[in-house]
Amino acid sequence: MAGEQLKGVASMLLVLNFCMYAIVLGIGGWAINKSIDHGFIIGQGLELPAHFSPIYFPMGNAATGFFVTFALIAGVVGIASLIAGINHLRSWSADSAPGASSAAFIAWALTLLAMGFAWKEIDIGARNSRLRTMEAFMIILSATQLFYIAAIHGASRR
C-alpha cells in the first residue's frame, strides 16, 4: 500500500522535474545562442583577442559560462534519467528500480554541481532575469530530484 502511494509521489515528481529540466534546457539554449551570436569575433588573421575565454557569455558575470554549461549537461542527463523513471513507473518492479535510481542519482549529482555554480553566480551578481530563473530552477531541482530518488528508493525497499 505504501508502495502505491510512493508511486503517485514519484510520478508527480517525475512530471515536475521533466517540466523544470525542459525549461532549464530552453533557457540554457538561449544563453548559448546569445553567446555564439554576441561573443568574441576572431579577426581575419585568426588571432584570438587578449582575454579570450571559450565560455564567454556577454550577459551575466564570470560564473555564467560555467553555470550554463553544467546546467545544460544536468538538464540533458536529467531528462534521460526521467525516461528511465518512466520505464520504472510502468513496470514498478524491483528489476527496474536500480536503473532508474542510478540514473536519477547521476542527474542529481550534476544538478548539484550546476547549483553550486548558480550560487557563485548569485554571489557575484549582475545577471538578467532569464539567468535568475535558471538559477532558481536548478536550486529547486536539486531538492525535487532528491525527493524523487527517495520515493523510488523507498518503494523498492518494500
Side-chain angles (χ1 to χ4, degrees):
M1 180 162 199
E4 289 300 317
Q5 290 173 343
L6 287 175
K7 184 177 180 180
V9 169
S11 62
M12 188 255 327
L13 287 170
L14 188 82
V15 170
L16 176 67
N17 287 353
F18 177 79
C19 293
M20 291 178 69
Y21 276 126
I23 292 170
V24 164
L25 287 174
I27 296 172
W30 164 83
I32 292 283
N33 186 45
K34 186 165 181 166
S35 174
I36 291 170
D37 288 345
H38 301 292
F40 286 113
I41 306 298
I42 299 175
Q44 292 183 9
L46 299 177
E47 296 175 12
L48 295 174
H51 300 293
F52 176 74
S53 172
I55 55 172
Y56 169 75
F57 282 75
M59 75 301 235
N61 53 43
T64 300
F66 296 102
F67 169 62
V68 170
T69 302
F70 284 103
L72 283 171
I73 293 170
V76 169
V77 174
I79 294 289
S81 76
L82 297 175
I83 292 170
I86 289 170
N87 182 38
H88 174 60
L89 284 177
R90 284 184 23 205
S91 65
W92 200 248
S93 67
D95 294 335
S96 64
S101 295
S102 62
F105 181 77
I106 293 168
W108 178 62
L110 288 169
T111 302
L112 287 178
L113 182 61
M115 182 189 66
F117 285 117
W119 285 347
K120 184 63 177 174
E121 191 177 42
I122 290 168
D123 183 49
I124 294 173
R127 63 230 191 269
N128 64 19
S129 62
R130 290 181 184 165
L131 291 174
R132 287 183 185 141
T133 302
M134 197 167 155
E135 293 161 0
F137 275 29
M138 291 310 294
I139 292 169
I140 294 167
L141 273 167
S142 67
T144 57
Q145 187 72 12
L146 179 63
F147 295 147
Y148 171 69
I149 292 169
I152 289 176
H153 189 68
S156 67
R157 289 283 187 194
R158 307 235 175 242

